Amino acid sequence: MSDDDAAVSRATMALRAAEAGAAVAASSFRTELAVEEKGTKTDVVTQVDRDAQETVIETIREEFPDDPVVGEEDDALKDVPESGPAWIVDPIDGTNNYVDGTRAFGTAVAAVADGGPVGAATVCPALSDTYRVGPDGAFLNGEPLSVSDCDDPEAATVCPTFWWDFDQRDQYAAATREVVERFGDMRRFGCAQLELAMVATGALEGAMTNMAINPWDSLAGVRLIREAGGVVTDLEGNRWRHDSTGLVASNGAIHDELLAAARAIED
């Protein structure tokens, strides 16, 4: 199989696996859930997260039984292999939203090769939205994606994404300050993969954090943005990788201002 054919096959599987996991999540949405804390009061998990991840992995294993899987929950790998193929899984990104009955959650699956995504999908079942990306481009519900053409920061809408824990709320406050002082408006949806996907669609002009962001919260969305014409860097302005510190994602036209905002969080 050629590299191109392999990329198509893996992108197709990413979509199929994300749809399978999202179906599990959707079946229990807005039902009574037993909620556990993983580490903090804002980092929670349900059995549905675990069941959805198991379903995603089982689906992938049907065609790629030997590939490593990096996943958010339980005993799955937590680090992206630097060589060879692998799969990155977030069974329910936005679990707090899911628990609260808020529709902004999704199942994200990325296929990677040598540490970089070659195809991915984020399926948001309660929004009836499916984002996918592969060798043929980036799409929302089958329609091609393109980032916003807004080049005026004062007209741009930006999201301070990911999450600052209680011992870092000064940084969260600083991120918010930088956004409201530099840009036209601010949004935050509590689902990093959805927020990144919205940059790819042009619904947001940018999303940023100064923190290291988990691969399951980011790789699918990063690939969507780049394929849609956007830019994703670290805090130094270098091309973002799964092990970068900070994530600055934009339509490209406002990137310098967004990068300055992200750098100013810890000043």
Side-chain angles (χ1 to χ4, degrees), residues 72-83:
E72 180 174 10
E73 307 304 341
D74 296 336
D75 296 329
L77 296 174
K78 303 305 175 190
D79 297 315
V80 179
E82 288 295 334
S83 62

Side-chain angles (χ1 to χ4, degrees), residues 4-24:
D4 288 346
D5 288 342
V8 170
S9 177
R10 290 177 181 278
T12 300
M13 174 54 76
L15 175 60
R16 179 180 158 200
E19 289 176 333
V24 173

Side-chain angles (χ1 to χ4, degrees), residues 5 13 21-22 32 39 46 64 75 101 109-111 121-122 124 132 153 160 177 179 191 206 212 216 221 248 264 266:
D5 288 342
M13 174 54 76
E32 186 173 347
T46 71
F64 301 95
D75 296 329
V109 179
T122 299
C124 302
R132 72 170 183 87
R177 181 196 66 237
V179 171
C191 177
W216 48 82
V248 183
E266 296 183 48

Side-chain angles (χ1 to χ4, degrees), residues 13-15 17-19 56 60 87-90 107-111 119-123 193 220:
M13 174 54 76
L15 175 60
E19 289 176 333
V56 170
I60 292 168
W87 300 85
I88 318 300
V89 177
D90 194 336
T107 300
V109 179
T122 299
V123 179
Q193 291 284 20

